[in-house]
Amino acid sequence: MQFSPLTTRIGAEVQGIDLSADLPNDVAGALYDGLMRHQVLFFRQQNLSPRQHLALAESFGEVDPGHPVYPHVEGYQSIVELCNEGNSAPDTDDWHKDLTFRAEPVFASILRAVEVPTVGGDTLWASMSAVYDSLSAGWKSDLEGLYAIHDMGTFRNDYLRKGGVAAVDEALAEVGSAVHPVIATHPVTGLKYLNVNQSFTRNIVDLTQGSSDEVLQYLYQHVRRPEFQVRFRWENDSVAIWDNRITQHYAVCDYLPNRRHMQRVTINNDRRAG
C-alpha cells in the first residue's frame, strides 16, 4: 500500500489496496494511520457493493444508523443516497462538517462515486488544523476557551417544504442542538483545529449576535483560502475517506443538469481512539 500526498497539508491518494476485501489487522491499521496523517484519503477503481461499503466502515468504528434528512439505499438504512440531476440542486455546496449539531459529532465518512458527470462535480476538503496554525497568536488567544452553538442549519428547509413551520419546530425539538469548543484538540494526533463551520454553527456563546457574526464570518472566509485545501476529481468507483473531526468539505455544484450519484456511510466513533 502506497500513500501519495496531494498537498503538504491535506490529502493523499492510496494505491495497492482493494477496499472490497476483508482487510487484515495490519493493513487496516496502516490505513487508519494514513488517515490520521493525511486527514482525507482517496482511492480509484474500488467497486464496492453496499455490504462491502458497510464492512469497510465497520472496520473503523460504529456505523451511523441513518441520516435525519437524506434518503438511503434500499435495504441499507446506514448508506445515504446523494443523487442530483436536472433541476435537483444539492445542499452540500457549502463548507461544512457533517452533523455537528449532535452532542457527539461523527468521526469519519466514506463516500463512494456511483455515477459522476463527465465534467464537474469535484469535492474539496480543507484542513482545520492548517487553518488553526495559520491564525495569528492574537486570534488563537481570543478564540481559546470560547464555545459555539451548532444546530441543523438549512436542513430547516427540508422540513419546511414537507410540513411547514410546525414540522420545523418539531424537527428542532427532536434533533436539538449542541455546544462545542471553537478550538478543539484532536484525540489521536493532538493537533489543535478550528471547530466551527458555516452550515451548522449559529453563534458563539457569551457574545452578542453582532459580535459573534463578525468573528464567525472572519473565520469562514479564512477557511476558504486554497492553501488549506485539496480538490478531488471523481471517477466512477472512486472512494474518499475523511476524518470529519479535523476537516471540512464542499461539494461543487457545477454539473447540473447532468447526473451525480454518490453513496456515503458515516462512522460515529473512532474505536482506535479508546
Side-chain angles (χ1 to χ4, degrees):
M1 185 165 51
Q2 180 180 354
F3 297 86
S4 301
L6 299 180
T7 80
T8 58
R9 295 179 174 180
I10 181 172
E13 195 158 333
V14 186
Q15 299 87 22
I17 185 172
D18 179 4
L19 297 178
S20 68
D22 292 333
L23 301 181
N25 288 337
D26 59 336
V27 175
L31 193 61
Y32 175 84
D33 292 342
L35 181 62
M36 294 302 99
R37 184 166 60 253
H38 299 290
Q39 302 182 2
V40 55
L41 302 177
F42 304 109
F43 309 80
R44 302 286 187 183
Q45 300 178 344
Q46 303 287 334
N47 185 13
L48 300 179
S49 69
R51 182 187 61 80
Q52 292 165 338
H53 195 169
L54 281 176
L56 175 62
E58 288 167 350
S59 72
F60 285 93
E62 177 190 16
V63 170
D64 190 76
H67 194 277
V69 173
Y70 296 143
H72 62 272
V73 174
E74 185 176 357
Y76 295 90
Q77 183 72 33
S78 295
I79 305 181
V80 170
E81 290 272 30
L82 300 168
C83 191
N84 299 94
E85 60 183 331
N87 294 321
S88 172
D91 61 0
T92 52
D93 53 342
D94 203 356
W95 284 106
H96 65 284
K97 292 171 59 173
D98 292 331
L99 303 170
T100 62
F101 47 81
R102 294 182 178 178
E104 296 294 333
V106 299
F107 153 45
S109 288
I110 303 177
L111 184 64
R112 171 179 172 255
V114 179
E115 181 183 356
V116 295
T118 304
V119 294
D122 296 358
T123 304
L124 293 86
W125 281 264
S127 168
M128 292 302 100
S129 57
V131 170
Y132 173 80
D133 289 343
S134 72
L135 293 172
S136 69
W139 269 103
K140 290 177 180 176
S141 176
D142 289 345
L143 296 174
E144 195 71 44
L146 294 180
Y147 288 79
I149 298 172
H150 298 237
D151 70 15
M152 69 167 60
T154 55
F155 284 137
R156 290 177 175 86
N157 297 336
D158 297 270
Y159 291 101
L160 186 67
R161 285 190 289 265
K162 292 177 182 177
V165 174
V168 174
D169 290 341
E170 183 178 348
L172 287 170
E174 180 181 347
V175 175
S177 57
V179 176
H180 302 299
V182 172
I183 302 299
T185 301
H186 194 281
V188 177
T189 64
L191 294 173
K192 287 192 173 184
Y193 63 91
L194 182 67
N195 195 33
V196 297
N197 71 95
Q198 192 161 26
S199 287
F200 301 125
T201 307
R202 297 279 67 83
N203 67 283
I204 297 175
V205 177
D206 291 333
L207 295 186
T208 65
Q209 191 64 55
S211 295
S212 173
D213 288 348
E214 290 175 3
V215 172
L216 290 174
Q217 285 303 318
Y218 172 82
L219 296 174
Y220 298 153
Q221 294 300 320
H222 200 60
V223 168
R224 294 174 179 174
R225 288 177 56 183
E227 290 85 354
F228 311 133
Q229 301 170 14
V230 63
R231 182 171 184 141
F232 186 62
R233 175 75 185 107
W234 293 97
E235 300 170 351
N236 291 353
D237 292 327
S238 294
V239 170
I241 305 175
W242 68 91
D243 187 337
N244 189 66
R245 297 168 296 198
I246 201 167
T247 63
Q248 293 187 32
H249 54 284
Y250 185 113
V252 182
C253 181
D254 57 355
Y255 53 88
L256 296 178
N258 299 307
R259 179 180 176 84
R260 183 181 189 268
H261 180 194
M262 317 292 282
Q263 293 176 347
R264 188 186 75 199
V265 177
T266 297
I267 306 161
N268 281 339
N269 67 313
D270 180 355
R271 67 179 178 85
R272 291 176 177 82

